[in-house]
Amino acid sequence: MGANYRSACRGKSTADIIAKLSLVEEKADESLYWMELIVEVGLLPLEKVSNLMLENTEILAMTVASIKALRNKSKIQNPKSKI
């Protein structure tokens, strides 16, 4: 997630930033999946990963909000844009 976020910060256009943030969203969701699976199969108790899961969920929510904001901003600036 971190490397993809850093890459998004260096995006060359709004579309590029959105594409890179979409990767962050995908990786955050995937990380959450693996943490849920770790708990479900009993490798670690929920108490050991709950803080990480919460932080990951917050990162995911912020990323989704950023993508939505960028799409809305792009639509306002470029009404005919397909972003």
Side-chain angles (χ1 to χ4, degrees):
M1 280 186 289
N4 288 316
Y5 178 77
R6 186 173 182 166
S7 179
C9 290
R10 300 183 188 321
K12 294 176 180 38
S13 66
T14 301
D16 188 36
I17 295 167
I18 291 170
K20 291 176 180 191
L21 283 177
S22 295
L23 290 173
V24 174
E25 177 186 3
E26 181 182 334
K27 296 302 178 184
D29 187 55
E30 182 181 346
S31 296
L32 188 57
Y33 166 80
W34 286 115
M35 287 183 261
E36 290 168 352
L37 190 63
I38 286 168
V39 171
E40 190 174 315
V41 300
L43 291 174
L44 288 172
L46 179 59
E47 299 78 33
K48 291 280 187 183
V49 295
S50 62
N51 286 339
L52 286 173
M53 291 173 76
L54 177 60
E55 185 174 345
N56 194 84
T57 301
E58 291 170 352
I59 290 169
L60 184 56
M62 288 186 290
T63 302
V64 169
S66 295
I67 291 168
K68 286 180 181 179
L70 285 166
R71 284 183 177 149
N72 287 336
K73 179 182 174 186
S74 180
K75 286 179 185 176
I76 291 168
Q77 291 177 348
N78 306 305
K80 295 181 182 182
S81 175
K82 294 184 180 182
I83 294 178

